[in-house]
Amino acid sequence: MRAATGMDALTHAVEAYTNTWATDLSRKWSREAIKRIFGYLLRCYNDGSDLEARSQLLRGSFEAGVAISMAGVGYVHAIAHTVGGKFHTPHGVANAMIMPFVLDFFDEAVEEDLADLAIMVGIGNETDSRRALAKNFIAAIRRMHSDMNMPTTVKGMKRKDVTSIATR
């Protein structure tokens, strides 16, 4: 549960940050949430009794919630809601599976934003190419997903279901 709710909060923050409706204020809240979630999610996942990590994730989730209340969410959530409704996949699990693919799809449209986030969370520096930084940020999300042993497939979903999910 810690993995799914943490990845849901991260999705809120990343989508609010990269959203075309983002404002300076919503981006500030998103950045704070992303820093906090990157800093504490794996620690909390590995030790559920770590009250500092749990408290920091609670705060990060709140910050991400403030950000989405200002800027909204995007396609990750749109797809995750459809997958969850049709296949009963938990919301945070669906977000965690879908987010890297949506970020890959948006590619250059979010490259600058993701590059800034990569530097902010310490997975790159100013001398790296913006493209490499963005790709490293997406790779870090995939690693978190993997490190927490989250599902990588949707139970019951078949190839034939993709079109109906994508067009819903």
Side-chain angles (χ1 to χ4, degrees):
M1 179 118 153
R2 292 184 302 271
T5 56
M7 291 301 280
D8 184 34
L10 181 62
T11 304
H12 291 160
V14 171
E15 283 196 297
Y17 190 81
T18 58
N19 197 315
T20 58
W21 296 315
T23 65
D24 290 343
L25 185 57
S26 68
R27 285 173 155 245
K28 175 191 171 289
W29 285 102
S30 292
R31 283 191 301 272
E32 291 302 313
I34 293 164
K35 279 191 284 193
R36 206 172 303 282
I37 294 164
F38 260 83
Y40 289 95
L41 179 53
L42 287 175
R43 182 172 146 184
C44 183
Y45 172 78
N46 288 319
D47 180 4
S49 67
D50 184 337
L51 295 183
E52 179 188 7
R54 291 174 72 102
S55 175
Q56 292 297 323
L57 280 180
L58 176 63
R59 187 168 174 189
S61 179
F62 168 78
E63 292 162 341
V66 172
I68 65 167
S69 73
M70 295 177 183
V73 291
Y75 285 115
V76 177
H77 271 80
I79 297 167
H81 285 171
T82 302
V83 168
K86 188 167 181 151
F87 298 101
H88 309 289
T89 304
H91 181 66
V93 172
N95 281 333
M97 281 191 271
I98 295 162
M99 182 166 45
F101 294 101
V102 170
L103 295 176
D104 281 337
F105 177 79
F106 282 144
D107 197 26
E108 292 177 5
V110 295
E111 184 176 288
E112 288 298 316
D113 289 341
L114 299 184
D116 291 340
L117 294 176
I119 293 168
M120 182 190 73
V121 298
I123 54 176
N125 59 58
E126 294 286 344
T127 61
D128 298 330
S129 77
R130 303 301 280 175
R131 184 150 196 80
L133 287 165
K135 294 296 183 189
N136 288 344
F137 186 78
I138 298 168
I141 291 170
R142 283 189 165 103
R143 270 191 311 279
M144 289 172 74
H145 183 264
S146 174
D147 289 349
M148 293 185 290
N149 301 308
M150 296 183 76
T152 57
T153 59
V154 176
K155 186 177 179 181
M157 186 172 163
K158 306 287 186 236
R159 182 178 294 266
K160 66 181 176 66
D161 298 316
V162 172
T163 300
S164 68
I165 289 168
T167 57
R168 180 157 188 195

